[in-house]
């Protein structure tokens, strides 16, 4: 795990859209930060820049002691989970989670050890042989998370991971995500447009509006503000 620091980070897209404006953020080691704000305020852009999926127009992003501005996604130790996650339908839960480790040519024993550990944290240990079609929506989303965290990234990024789930599952998964993050202790940035989700999840909540940081604080602090 590592701290993430954004220093005057800006993004202007090729068509001139100014999506993020001189954003300053410091996310400490092991912290769970929630980025919240209305659609179009620049949350996804900020997250994609941290992930290295989007070029930075100005400023610097550091992970740990390294400035990562020009380091592509595959060379950053960052994992990301999206709203629409695609699991491999023909692979069971174990193989879905193991996929990235197999690509990295880890030994069978190491893969089994890591997948088993992650499956336990995600409470999927009794479903390892099932195919995605035989899982609930919440279980599938946990498999997607497992695939991301199994390689022990320094930083874990989530972009509206619950927005495709129904309301009841969403509430249930919220609690689970908070628990999983605590168990792993990995530095996490979680993007949502849902204020309730933001207030219940984060150690700290950052509110964005039109590309700018509007306010930041503990959930209660922000909630109490008029
Ligand atoms: P959010 O995640 O908060 O909904 P985004 O980061 O997706 O916000 O978008 C911020 C702004 O940038 C919006 O005005 C959006 O239309 C614009 N935008 C996003 N992606 C692109 C792109 N590839 N090209 C041009 N404009 C974009
Ligand atoms: P989100 O709300 O999660 O940001 P959007 O529906 O706004 O998702 O955007 C979906 C995709 O479309 C993203 O990849 C984003 O970069 C791109 N996009 C958003 N706005 C624009 C835009 N104005 N021009 C080009 N691409 C855009």
């Amino acid at each position: 795990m590592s701290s993430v620091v954004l220093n005057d980070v800006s993004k202007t897209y090729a068509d001139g859209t100014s999506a993020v404006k001189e954003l300053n953020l410091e996310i400490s080691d092991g912290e769970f930060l929630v980025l919240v704000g209305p659609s179009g305020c620049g949350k996804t852009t900020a997250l994609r820049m941290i992930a290295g999926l989007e070029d930075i127009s100005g400023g610097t992003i550091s992970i740990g002691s390294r400035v990562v501005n020009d380091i592509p996604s595959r060379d950053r130790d960052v994992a990301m989970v999206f709203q629409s996650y695609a699991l491999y339908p023909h692979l069971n839960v174990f193989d879905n989670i193991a996929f990235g480790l197999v690509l990295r040519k880890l030994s069978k024993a190491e893969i089994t050890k890591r997948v088993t550990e992650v499956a336990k944290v995600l409470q999927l240990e009794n479903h390892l042989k099932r195919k995605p079609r035989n899982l609930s929506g919440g279980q599938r989303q946990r498999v997607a998370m497992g695939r991301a965290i199994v390689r022990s990234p320094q930083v874990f990024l989530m972009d509206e991971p619950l927005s495709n789930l129904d309301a009841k599952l969403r509430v249930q998964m919220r609690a689970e995500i908070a628990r999983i993050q605590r168990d792993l202790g990995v530095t996490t940035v979680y993007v949502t447009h849902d204020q309730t989700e933001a207030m219940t999840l984060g150690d700290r909540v950052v509110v964005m509006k039109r590309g700018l940081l509007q306010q930041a604080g503990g959930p209660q602090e922000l909630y109490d503000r008029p």
Side-chain angles (χ1 to χ4, degrees), residues 13-15 17-19 37-46 54 159 191:
Y13 283 106
D15 67 356
T17 305
S18 173
S39 180
C41 73
K43 306 180 297 293
T44 296
T45 302
E54 200 76 67
D159 190 358
V191 160

Side-chain angles (χ1 to χ4, degrees), residues 34-38 43 160 162-163 170 174 190-201 205:
V34 178
L35 214 51
V36 67
K43 306 180 297 293
E160 306 255 6
L162 305 185
S163 49
R170 237 182 357 247
R174 248 187 240 154
Y190 185 105
V191 160
T192 180
H193 65 273
D194 184 331
Q195 288 206 7
T196 314
E197 208 165 288
M199 296 302 176
T200 51
L201 268 175
V205 178

